[in-house]
């Protein structure tokens, strides 16, 4: 039985009998026609994307599943993330994709657009898009999230933009073990615009900002 070689194109699995395939073969397999209207990018092991031309060959015998992404476009756009250069086949890109380029924990890091000549750079949220077709190369950088919240009167530094009820209980009472007779109640204020104040129950999460005040109360049922 002959061996087949699998690849992933735009999230979908395709199989080839040959261990060496061209950009044309990959686009044809994915149904991307006419070929000259599409760009094909291969995701490398370090997270970067490299454009594969129609006549260019790709070796499928290397360890791991080769991954590709296509764009219907006539040009690609260059950008840098944390000083590393990437190419992208669309004029806009999301914050989440930029974090993937940087290979950082998306929940623990923010990504920023560097604005030269201005005082403040711009943060790009995960689902937010930013344009790449402005003059020059757009430069982005990542930074670990660091937010100071006040839990039961004590400042605590966290590295996420939101926390769950359970995570906040552990911050407030780190030595308390879950027990059926223990009830926790939680209220907060000075929060961000999406949740400036209110209460939280088990199973919920809350967005955070600096100096947000959270009070957690423990009650033992008797």
């Amino acid at each position: 039985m002959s061996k087949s070689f699998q690849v992933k194109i735009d999230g979908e699995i395709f199989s080839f009998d040959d261990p060496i395939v061209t950009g044309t073969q990959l686009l044809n397999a994915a149904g991307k026609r006419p070929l000259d209207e599409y760009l094909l990018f291969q995701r490398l092991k370090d997270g970067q994307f490299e454009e594969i031309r129609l006549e260019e060959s790709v070796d499928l015998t290397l360890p791991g599943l080769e991954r590709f992404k296509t764009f219907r476009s006539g040009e690609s756009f260059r950008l840098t993330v944390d000083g590393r250069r990437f190419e992208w086949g669309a004029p806009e890109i999301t914050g989440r994709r930029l974090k993937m380029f940087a290979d950082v924990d998306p929940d623990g890091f923010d990504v920023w657009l560097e604005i030269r000549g201005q005082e403040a750079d711009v943060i790009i949220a995960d689902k937010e898009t930013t344009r790449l077709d402005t003059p020059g190369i757009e430069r982005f950088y990542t930074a670990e999230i660091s937010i100071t919240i006040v839990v039961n009167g004590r400042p605590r530094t966290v590295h996420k933009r939101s926390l769950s009820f359970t995570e906040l209980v552990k911050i407030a009472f780190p030595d308390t073990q879950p027990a059926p007779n223990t009830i926790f109640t939680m209220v907060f204020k000075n929060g961000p615009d999406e949740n400036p104040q209110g209460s939280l129950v088990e199973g919920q999460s809350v967005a955070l900002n600096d100096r947000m005040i959270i009070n957690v109360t423990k009650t033992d049922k008797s």
Side-chain angles (χ1 to χ4, degrees):
M1 180 180 297
S2 60
K3 180 180 179 180
S4 64
F5 302 87
Q6 291 187 328
V7 302
K8 183 174 283 190
I9 306 175
D10 295 339
E12 187 176 352
I13 296 292
F14 296 90
S15 296
F16 293 89
D17 293 330
D18 297 326
I20 305 295
V21 295
T22 64
T24 294
Q25 289 174 293
L26 290 163
L27 287 175
N28 275 326
K32 305 299 181 179
R33 302 183 185 88
L35 297 179
D36 58 2
E37 292 186 9
Y38 283 87
L39 295 175
L40 176 69
F41 287 83
Q42 180 181 12
R43 184 173 185 179
L44 305 180
K45 305 306 180 186
D46 61 1
Q48 296 193 49
F49 280 80
E50 179 179 74
E51 185 176 0
I52 305 298
R53 298 183 300 276
L54 294 178
E55 71 281 2
E56 190 172 355
S57 297
V58 179
D59 186 354
L60 304 184
T61 63
L62 301 176
L65 183 68
E66 299 298 337
R67 301 172 188 270
F68 302 87
K69 188 167 182 63
T70 66
F71 295 94
R72 190 161 192 166
S73 174
E75 59 181 332
S76 60
F77 301 87
R78 291 182 178 179
L79 62 142
T80 66
V81 185
D82 291 342
R84 298 163 61 198
R85 194 175 74 176
F86 297 89
E87 290 195 53
W88 192 238
E92 60 183 20
I93 192 169
T94 65
R96 189 80 171 188
R97 174 62 67 178
L98 290 166
K99 291 179 185 180
M100 291 177 65
F101 280 161
D103 196 24
V104 297
D105 176 6
D107 295 324
F109 282 77
D110 286 327
V111 62
W112 298 78
L113 170 61
E114 181 181 327
I115 307 296
R116 294 191 172 185
Q118 298 186 22
E119 293 184 2
D121 296 334
V122 177
I123 190 171
I124 310 298
D126 280 2
K127 296 182 180 180
E128 185 180 358
T129 59
T130 184
R131 304 294 300 186
L132 300 176
D133 54 359
T134 56
I137 296 177
E138 300 295 352
R139 292 175 170 83
F140 303 88
Y141 62 91
T142 60
E144 185 179 27
I145 296 170
S146 183
I147 298 175
T148 299
I149 58 177
V150 180
V151 181
N152 288 357
R154 301 181 63 182
R156 302 288 190 181
T157 299
V158 298
H159 301 289
K160 297 173 68 175
R161 291 211 168 269
S162 67
L163 288 175
S164 68
F165 179 91
T166 301
E167 289 172 317
L168 286 165
V169 166
K170 289 181 179 179
I171 292 174
F173 299 97
D175 298 325
T176 298
Q177 299 297 322
N181 293 328
T182 301
I183 297 176
F184 295 97
T185 56
M186 190 177 303
V187 295
F188 59 88
K189 62 181 181 180
N190 297 348
D193 291 342
E194 56 264 47
N195 47 241
Q197 62 182 14
S199 60
L200 203 66
V201 298
E202 189 170 359
Q204 293 182 328
S205 296
V206 66
L208 309 174
N209 65 357
D210 273 319
R211 310 311 298 176
M212 183 173 177
I213 297 173
I214 301 169
N215 290 314
V216 185
T217 303
K218 181 175 70 170
T219 304
D220 294 321
K221 293 188 298 183
S222 59

